[in-house]
Amino acid sequence: MSRFWFVLGMLLALLSAVAGVAKLMGMPQEAAFFQQLDIPLSLMIVFGILQIGGGVMVAISKIRKWGLILVALLFLLSSIQISATGNFMFA
């Protein structure tokens, strides 16, 4: 694997993990975003755990493919949520 793709993968892993930590910490912006969509805050915690898990999976070469799939699906879901609220400044 070229150095470029490795660095890109690690940045994606970090981005996913940091987004997950923000949800687990119950950041007010995250909570308000989920409440705006009438999504229970308990699902925010699940979403955060999945984001952290996906980030860790991307960092492990043997399961990187599955981690990338999970992270891509979660980012797609986030994009849909952002579009549904019209809150593009949140992104």
Side-chain angles (χ1 to χ4, degrees):
M1 178 187 309
S2 73
R3 188 175 301 243
F4 171 77
W5 290 110
F6 177 78
V7 170
L8 190 62
M10 292 306 107
L11 288 173
L12 186 62
L14 181 64
L15 178 64
S16 182
V18 168
V21 168
K23 287 173 182 61
L24 288 182
M25 290 178 59
M27 300 296 287
Q29 300 90 340
E30 295 283 349
F33 180 66
F34 273 73
Q35 288 173 338
Q36 188 177 11
L37 290 166
D38 292 326
I39 299 174
L41 293 183
S42 58
L43 285 180
M44 181 177 77
I45 301 300
V46 171
F47 200 74
I49 290 169
L50 288 173
Q51 282 183 311
I52 292 170
V56 170
M57 290 171 69
V58 170
I60 300 171
S61 62
K62 290 188 178 197
I63 56 175
R64 181 169 292 138
K65 176 183 174 182
W66 297 108
L68 288 169
I69 290 169
L70 177 60
V71 168
L73 290 173
L74 293 171
F75 283 155
L76 176 64
L77 183 58
S78 292
S79 298
I80 291 169
Q81 290 173 328
I82 290 169
S83 295
T85 62
N87 190 1
F88 297 106
M89 294 301 292
F90 185 78

